[in-house]
């Protein structure tokens, strides 16, 4: 028997390290060639590392949540044959079908089997024991009297608790894990004071979100600007277009209109569609408008990017937003689809509130937040009229965007949205 | 009529009742305990007055006497004893002294916990009210919660009603002299414990059992050493036999056996020990309209009856009629009344039979375990191979362990042998904690003790016995 060391392969351009988010194997387990060993996370995308050879796992290189450098030992395998050495694995990105047209030249090697896509949620740390009957019906759970008493006090049916002890015995730790993870399963018959404290390690996507948000808030000189927009006409237009009810087209939300308006507005305010490199102190103005759409997924906040909106029509934008949001929610979004935005829209949908304070998606310099729209009385021409009103809460990086410019930019957006025809008129 | 209001009313001062009262008082509840006293005992109930404690006293005295007799005849380790005699009246006095100390102790405990004791016959008027006939007149107790703990009483046989020479265990424990010829009806643990004791004290004992073997509640493996000892003591054991009544002269028991002519067994005393029944009459149970389970008050896992805030513990609620079960139920009830979530959910209730040799069982027997359809493994370790047993001159018996084949979870432990009742603690703990064979095998057992046989039996079940 020989030993083989599987190293963390290069998982993407410029990525020097990756966070280990999930082990798919354990020490002592035999693995087949191509069997997934682990999932690592780079730049918001989960990448699965398959085993290059068959063997038995003798050591794991890191714990979940640990960060491994590219080239570091990932797994040590005992393999048949004498030779010992190192092998490189080929990463497999959990990728969605990329746009067909701009697909690079097909690789010479036979295509690997379709990557098994994984839900991001499974890459999150497990904080609780599984819920559901872990033992056959009618079988009494095995637990000491003290555990049984604690379970009773907490209103826990021990039949629902998985015992990790010998013969499936339920220990205090098992009960703790259950109480942490399955508080929903606790009977509500009686209310008891719950003094449980749970420490959850922030790993994976959530850690990236946390770091990125802190970084944005720490390094970007935020200021927000809120303006009221009359979207009565826009809503009418939207309703009319949706009424056509064409099955080949996505239903329009307000977002694609806002995207189209943004394309028009940033043409006049190119400093808004830009990336600020605060180390080099340069502002990178982009001709292409790549709009990030902040999206809530089961794993946490993701920002899929609709590229080249300046080249897309209304329906195209709508369809692409829909496709990317779905891919992000299912964890199928590729790294490319989650990076490269130049300006971001954030919307909480019907939860939109009155005013929000969006956090700039660094290194971008502007983010447009959509609040909830509602019919409100508006004083016009000496009387109140019902108008559909909506706030835009937008934040900017004050280091490179002046308040006056930001206000004018938002006024431009407001003008476009209030007279939606102007969004689509060439010379407006 | 005087009236007392309390949070908890406990009816009956036996092990179930007094423990309920103490625990409830510990938890800050005001408790009234009604105890009627009388022939079957006052505070401490059957257990202290006419059951566990006096019978063990008599058994111990009888044992000591029998041993002295044995040693007088044949000195096993160089001991020479003169002709021993037994002054039975002194024995009874000594036994009564123990009972007196213990019942006094219970009274002191209740007093220390500020439980109010009302002495007299209590009768429930409804689910909250009890009328007690005290020496100083009737008294009414009203309570939020009522705990019924009225216990049980010896069951009689229609053919042999109590009276005259025919007695229950209660009278047997109060005999002032050792009967010359004692016939014991029923070879359960009560009949055999007392029958053995009187045989050792000098009675000519005949045991009559309807089933085909003695101790029908235990498996044959466990009862066999007891049968051998009974025979060695000269006790005649008639199985598959029924007592059909007394002879005309009243000095013999007529015994019918299948395929044989009715036989007359001479008797100075007849002990009917065919079982006990719940005490369901005489305290107004009929007015509570509780759901019954045969002759017992039906309870759920919380020991709650079918009536809100009326609870029942102990023998009144059925088998096994054991003091330690009643006490555990009492604790569970008291804690529930105090607002805790509890059920009576013991994994096992140990049972001990103070025969000679003693028997202790915890959990399932091999047959019971097999009957569940499970693959099992079982092994026993004989005391013949245990050093301590040999030094005690008690090599009869064994410890037997039964476990699941798949995960070695212990399902049952049993032992028969001298002094094995004390092993009940280890056995009960093992089962209650969900021990596997490896847990017992991995526990260091002190040497030289009888408990080593438990260790070895576990090892043997694993196929790893060291001393056999």
């Amino acid at each position: 028997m020989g030993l083989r060391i599987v190293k963390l392969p290069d998982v993407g351009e410029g990525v020097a390290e990756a966070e280990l988010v999930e082990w798919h194997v354990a020490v002592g387990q035999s693995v087949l060639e191509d069997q997934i060993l682990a999932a690592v996370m780079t730049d918001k995308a989960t990448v699965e590392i398959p085993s290059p050879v068959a063997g038995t796992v003798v050591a794991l290189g890191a714990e979940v949540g640990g960060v491994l450098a590219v080239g570091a030992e990932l797994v040590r395998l005992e393999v048949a044959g004498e030779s010992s050495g190192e092998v490189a694995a080929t990463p497999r990105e959990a990728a969605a079908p990329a746009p067909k047209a701009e697909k690079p030249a097909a690789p010479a090697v036979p295509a690997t089997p379709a990557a098994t896509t994984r839900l991001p949620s499974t890459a999150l740390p497990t904080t609780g024991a599984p819920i559901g009957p872990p033992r056959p019906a009618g079988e009494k759970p095995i637990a000491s009297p003290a555990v049984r008493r604690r379970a009773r006090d907490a209103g826990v049916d021990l039949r629902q608790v998985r015992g990790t002890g010998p013969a499936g015995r339920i220990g205090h730790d098992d009960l703790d894990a259950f109480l942490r993870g399955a508080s929903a399963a606790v009977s509500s018959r009686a209310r008891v004071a719950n003094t449980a404290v749970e420490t959850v390690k922030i790993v994976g996507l959530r850690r990236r979100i946390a770091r990125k948000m802190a970084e944005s808030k720490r390094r970007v000189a935020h200021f927000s600007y809120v303006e009221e927009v009359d979207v009565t006409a826009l809503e009418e237009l939207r309703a009319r277009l949706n009424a056509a009810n064409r099955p080949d087209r996505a239903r329009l939300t307000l977002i694609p209109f806002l995207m189209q308006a943004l394309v028009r507005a940033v043409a006049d305010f190119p400093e808004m569609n830009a990336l600020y490199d605060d180390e080099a102190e340069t502002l990178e103005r982009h001709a292409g408008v790549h709009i990030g759409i902040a999206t809530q997924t089961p794993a946490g906040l993701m920002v899929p990017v609709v590229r080249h909106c300046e080249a897309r029509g209304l329906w195209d934008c709508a369809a692409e937003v829909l496709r990317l949001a779905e891919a992000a929610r299912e964890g199928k979004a590729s790294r490319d689809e989650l990076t490269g935005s130049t300006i971001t829209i954030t919307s909480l949908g019907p939860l939109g509130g009155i005013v929000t304070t969006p956090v700039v998606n660094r290194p971008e310099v502007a983010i447009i937040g959509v609040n909830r729209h509602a019919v409100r009385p508006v004083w016009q021409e000496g009387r109140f009229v019902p108008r559909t009103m909506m706030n835009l809460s937008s934040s900017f990086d004050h280091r490179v965007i002046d308040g006056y410019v930001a206000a004018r930019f938002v006024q431009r957006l407001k003008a476009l949205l209030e007279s939606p025809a102007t969004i689509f008129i060439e010379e407006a | 009529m005087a009236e007392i209001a309390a949070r908890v009313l406990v009816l009956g001062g036996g092990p179930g009742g007094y423990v309920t009262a103490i625990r409830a008082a510990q938890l800050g509840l005001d408790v009234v305990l009604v105890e009627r006293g009388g022939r079957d005992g006052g505070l401490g109930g059957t257990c202290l007055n006419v059951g566990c404690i006096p019978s063990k006293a008599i058994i111990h005295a009888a044992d000591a006497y029998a041993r002295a007799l044995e040693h007088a005849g044949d000195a096993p380790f160089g001991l020479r004893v003169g002709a021993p005699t037994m002054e039975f009246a002194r024995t009874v006095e000594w036994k009564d002294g123990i009972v007196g100390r213990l019942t006094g102790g219970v009274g002191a405990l209740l007093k220390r916990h500020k439980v109010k004791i009302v002495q007299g016959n209590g009768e429930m008027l409804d689910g909250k009210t009890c009328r007690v006939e005290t020496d100083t007149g009737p008294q009414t107790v009203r309570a939020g919660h009522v705990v019924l703990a009225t216990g049980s009483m010896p069951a009689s046989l229609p053919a042999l009603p109590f009276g005259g020479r025919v007695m229950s265990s209660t009278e047997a424990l109060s005999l002032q002299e050792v009967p010359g010829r004692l016939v014991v009806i029923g070879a359960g643990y009560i009949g055999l414990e007392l029958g053995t004791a009187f045989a050792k004290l000098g009675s000519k004992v005949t045991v009559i059992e309807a089933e085909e073997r003695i101790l029908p509640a235990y498996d044959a493996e466990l009862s066999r050493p007891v049968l051998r000892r009974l025979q060695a003591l000269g006790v005649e054991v008639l199985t598959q036999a029924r007592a059909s009544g007394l002879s005309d002269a009243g000095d013999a028991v007529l015994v019918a056996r299948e395929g044989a002519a009715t036989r007359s067994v001479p008797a100075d005393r007849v002990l009917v020990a065919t079982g006990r029944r719940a005490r369901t009459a005489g305290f107004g149970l009929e007015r509570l309209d509780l759901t019954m389970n045969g002759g017992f008050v039906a309870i759920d896992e919380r020991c709650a009856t079918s009536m809100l805030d009326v609870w029942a513990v102990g023998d009144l609620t059925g088998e096994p009629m054991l003091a330690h079960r009643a006490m555990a139920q009492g604790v569970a009830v008291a804690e529930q009344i105090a607002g805790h979530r509890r059920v009576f959910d013991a994994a096992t209730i140990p049972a001990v039979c103070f025969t000679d040799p003693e028997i202790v069982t915890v959990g399932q027997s091999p047959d019971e375990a097999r009957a569940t359809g499970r693959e099992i493994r079982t092994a026993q370790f004989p005391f013949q191979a245990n050093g301590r047993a040999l030094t005690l001159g008690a090599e009869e018996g064994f410890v037997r362990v039964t476990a699941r084949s798949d995960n070695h979870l212990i399902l049952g432990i049993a032992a028969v042998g001298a002094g094995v009742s004390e092993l009940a603690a280890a056995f009960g703990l093992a089962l209650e904690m969900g021990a596997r064979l490896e847990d017992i095998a991995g526990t260091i057992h002190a040497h030289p003790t009888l408990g080593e046989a438990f260790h070895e039996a576990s090892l043997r079940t694993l196929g790893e016995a060291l001393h056999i």
Side-chain angles (χ1 to χ4, degrees):
Chain A
M1 299 298 266
L3 272 186
R4 287 289 195 84
I5 294 166
V6 181
K7 296 186 156 191
L8 181 68
D10 185 357
V11 284
E13 317 88 299
V15 175
E17 58 181 27
E19 181 183 344
L20 187 81
V21 287
E22 192 182 15
W23 280 113
H24 289 247
V25 294
V27 171
Q29 187 180 332
S30 42
V31 294
L32 301 171
E33 185 180 337
D34 235 21
Q35 188 175 335
I36 302 298
L37 296 171
V40 297
M41 172 162 280
T42 65
D43 216 356
K44 293 183 183 173
T46 304
V47 178
E48 292 178 331
I49 313 293
S51 177
V53 289
T56 305
V57 178
V58 291
L60 302 179
E63 288 181 1
V64 169
V67 173
L68 280 173
V70 168
E73 184 181 317
L74 181 69
V75 165
R76 192 170 289 213
L77 294 174
E78 193 174 70
V79 295
E82 292 302 312
S83 68
S84 291
E86 297 165 357
V87 285
T90 315
R92 256 188 221 170
E93 190 177 325
K100 302 115 245 160
E102 30 187 294
K103 186 107 179 137
V109 290
T112 47
T116 27
T117 48
R118 303 193 47 76
L119 291 173
S121 59
T122 60
L124 289 177
T126 311
T127 53
I131 311 170
R135 55 178 58 77
E139 192 167 310
K140 271 189 95 170
I142 308 161
S144 74
V147 171
R148 298 205 297 264
R149 182 175 174 139
R150 270 189 64 214
R152 181 76 49 192
D153 282 341
V156 170
D157 180 352
L158 275 183
R159 285 172 301 187
Q160 303 293 317
V161 180
R162 193 173 298 279
T164 57
R169 188 188 309 156
I170 302 163
H172 287 283
D173 291 348
D174 296 323
L175 185 56
D176 289 340
F178 184 87
L179 287 171
R180 278 201 304 271
S183 51
V186 172
S187 152
S188 58
R189 257 194 313 169
R191 293 176 187 185
V192 288
N194 191 340
T195 54
V197 177
E198 176 195 18
T199 305
V200 180
K201 196 167 161 67
I202 300 296
V203 299
L205 181 59
R206 180 43 66 187
R207 180 156 83 178
R208 293 195 166 267
I209 293 171
R211 286 184 176 172
K212 212 161 177 246
M213 288 293 173
E215 187 77 351
S216 279
K217 272 300 217 186
R218 190 168 64 81
R219 297 185 70 163
V220 176
H222 275 82
F223 80 100
S224 296
Y225 178 85
V226 182
E227 178 58 284
E228 195 174 44
V229 182
D230 183 340
V231 290
T232 312
L234 182 61
E235 280 303 285
E236 278 170 16
L237 176 62
R238 190 171 75 88
R240 183 162 305 175
L241 292 171
N242 278 335
N245 206 9
R246 280 178 51 177
D248 57 330
R249 285 180 173 173
R251 275 184 74 79
L252 293 170
T253 64
L254 188 133
I255 300 292
F257 291 96
L258 181 58
M259 292 165 81
Q260 292 290 309
L262 262 182
V263 169
R264 297 303 294 263
V266 299
D268 298 330
F269 297 88
E271 63 270 43
M272 295 295 173
N273 189 50
L275 305 179
Y276 180 41
D277 184 345
D278 46 11
E279 307 230 330
E281 299 191 325
T282 54
L283 191 70
E284 209 175 86
R285 293 179 176 175
H286 281 251
V289 184
H290 310 302
I291 302 179
I293 308 288
T295 305
Q296 192 60 37
T297 74
L301 178 68
M302 288 192 180
V303 188
V305 182
V306 181
R307 292 179 174 276
H308 290 292
C309 292
E310 81 283 1
R312 294 179 189 267
L314 183 71
W315 302 103
D316 192 2
C317 277
E320 185 68 357
V321 167
L322 208 66
R323 183 186 74 76
L324 286 173
E326 197 153 308
R329 287 195 189 101
E330 291 179 11
K332 293 178 181 169
S334 72
R335 221 166 35 245
D336 284 348
E337 289 166 332
L338 293 169
T339 54
S341 58
T342 52
I343 191 165
T344 295
I345 294 174
T346 175
S347 164
L348 287 172
L351 287 177
I354 301 165
V355 172
T356 44
T357 56
V359 176
V360 172
N361 189 15
R362 188 176 165 272
E364 294 163 40
V365 297
I367 182 166
I368 312 300
V370 179
N371 294 122
R372 191 176 52 228
H373 62 76
V375 178
R376 291 184 217 141
V378 175
W379 188 257
Q380 277 182 357
E381 296 168 4
R383 64 193 179 104
F384 279 110
V385 288
R387 305 295 291 176
T388 305
M389 303 301 289
M390 179 189 81
N391 285 355
L392 284 181
S393 298
S394 307
S395 294
F396 303 89
D397 189 340
H398 215 331
R399 293 174 300 176
V400 288
I401 307 286
D402 290 331
Y404 180 74
V405 177
R408 279 180 53 220
F409 173 64
V410 174
Q411 291 304 329
R412 175 80 175 116
L413 271 181
K414 173 183 163 84
L416 286 163
L417 293 170
E418 290 190 338
S419 308
T422 58
I423 299 174
F424 304 103
I425 293 171
E426 290 293 331
E427 301 301 324
Chain B
M1 183 164 52
E3 188 172 310
I4 307 172
R7 179 97 170 109
V8 186
L9 162 69
V10 180
L11 195 63
Y18 82 72
V19 168
T20 308
I22 290 175
R23 185 70 187 122
Q26 278 177 349
L27 294 166
L29 306 172
D30 61 323
V31 186
V32 171
L33 175 73
V34 175
E35 169 55 53
R36 66 176 197 148
R39 200 179 66 116
D40 284 341
L43 288 179
T46 299
C47 169
L48 255 60
N49 293 281
V50 291
C52 317
I53 298 302
S55 68
K56 264 79 258 179
I58 298 283
I59 287 167
H60 177 74
D63 213 32
Y65 177 54
R67 197 163 290 234
L69 279 178
E70 268 173 33
H71 293 169
D74 171 31
F77 42 85
L79 174 71
R80 298 198 73 81
V81 178
T85 57
M86 192 76 177
E87 202 181 326
F88 191 64
R90 288 283 302 276
T91 307
V92 171
E93 208 175 291
W94 168 74
K95 174 212 71 172
D96 289 344
I98 294 169
V99 169
R101 267 174 62 186
L102 288 173
T103 53
V106 169
L109 283 173
L110 289 166
K111 199 171 165 191
R112 193 193 306 158
H113 286 94
K114 301 190 168 55
V115 173
K116 183 164 178 50
I117 301 167
V118 178
Q119 194 80 42
N121 197 51
E123 211 171 308
M124 298 306 299
L125 303 179
D126 56 45
K128 304 263 182 233
T129 320
C130 182
R131 179 191 159 98
V132 190
E133 295 299 333
T134 71
D135 290 346
T136 55
Q139 187 151 44
T140 303
V141 183
R142 279 185 207 283
H145 291 263
V146 172
V147 184
L148 304 175
T150 56
S152 61
M153 52 206 282
S156 63
L157 285 176
L160 290 166
F162 293 133
R165 295 180 192 217
V166 181
M167 58 182 185
S168 70
S169 56
T170 300
E171 290 82 39
L173 288 165
S174 321
L175 287 174
Q176 295 302 308
E177 54 189 37
V178 177
R181 294 167 305 180
L182 175 67
V183 171
V184 177
I185 320 278
Y189 80 95
I190 296 173
L192 289 192
E193 283 183 13
L194 291 175
T196 306
F198 281 107
K200 287 176 177 174
L201 289 167
S203 297
K204 166 79 184 96
V205 177
T206 306
V207 176
I208 296 163
E209 170 58 47
E211 299 289 323
E212 61 182 10
R213 59 185 177 80
I214 62 163
L215 295 172
Y218 294 86
D219 59 80
E221 253 180 355
L222 293 169
S223 62
R224 206 169 291 125
V226 177
L227 180 63
R228 278 199 292 269
R229 179 67 175 142
L230 287 171
Q231 286 163 344
L233 287 168
V235 174
E236 186 179 11
V237 178
L238 304 174
T239 52
Q240 290 177 298
R242 286 180 187 281
S244 55
L246 289 181
S247 63
D248 291 343
D251 58 356
V253 177
L254 302 174
V255 180
R257 293 183 82 179
E258 215 173 302
T262 298
R263 188 182 143 183
S264 163
V265 182
D268 299 309
R269 289 285 188 168
V270 179
L271 166 62
V272 175
T274 48
R276 297 180 66 86
R277 57 186 179 80
R279 191 188 304 279
T280 51
F283 62 94
L285 181 66
E286 60 283 355
R287 281 195 280 275
L288 301 185
D289 190 28
L290 302 183
T291 302
M292 299 296 287
N293 174 19
F296 305 107
V297 171
I299 53 168
D300 63 13
E301 57 171 11
R302 298 162 53 231
C303 300
T305 68
S306 56
M307 204 165 163
L308 187 68
D309 296 340
V310 175
W311 312 78
V313 298
D315 292 359
L316 178 67
T317 64
E319 299 284 356
M321 292 193 190
L322 297 169
H324 43 275
R325 168 175 171 267
M327 293 186 203
Q329 287 180 324
V331 169
V333 167
E335 294 183 350
Q336 287 177 83
I337 294 172
H340 300 285
R341 290 191 204 175
R342 293 287 176 269
V343 292
F344 177 65
D345 72 342
T348 183
I349 303 171
V352 177
C353 183
F354 288 86
T355 45
D356 182 6
E358 293 171 351
I359 298 174
V360 53
T361 57
V362 180
Q364 294 173 325
S365 72
D367 285 343
E368 286 167 344
R370 275 187 208 103
T372 63
R374 188 161 271 147
E375 286 273 309
I376 61 151
R377 48 167 76 191
T378 180
Q380 47 176 260
F381 186 84
F383 282 118
Q384 285 164 333
N386 175 275
R388 181 60 178 148
L390 298 188
T391 66
L392 292 168
E395 53 190 84
E396 177 82 84
F398 56 85
V399 174
R400 180 182 70 197
V401 175
T402 304
R404 278 172 63 154
S405 288
D406 57 351
N407 59 17
H408 297 179
L409 180 75
I410 297 178
L411 299 171
I413 311 163
V416 54
V420 294
S421 57
E422 289 303 322
L423 296 181
F427 297 173
L429 188 63
L431 239 71
E432 203 66 51
M433 297 294 287
R436 293 200 310 174
L437 291 171
E438 288 81 355
D439 294 318
I440 307 307
T443 302
I444 296 176
H445 286 67
H447 174 78
T449 59
L450 295 178
E452 282 180 280
F454 179 28
H455 187 227
E456 285 283 358
S458 302
L459 285 171
R460 200 175 185 194
T461 313
L462 288 167
E464 300 167 7
L466 294 168
H467 291 92
I468 194 164

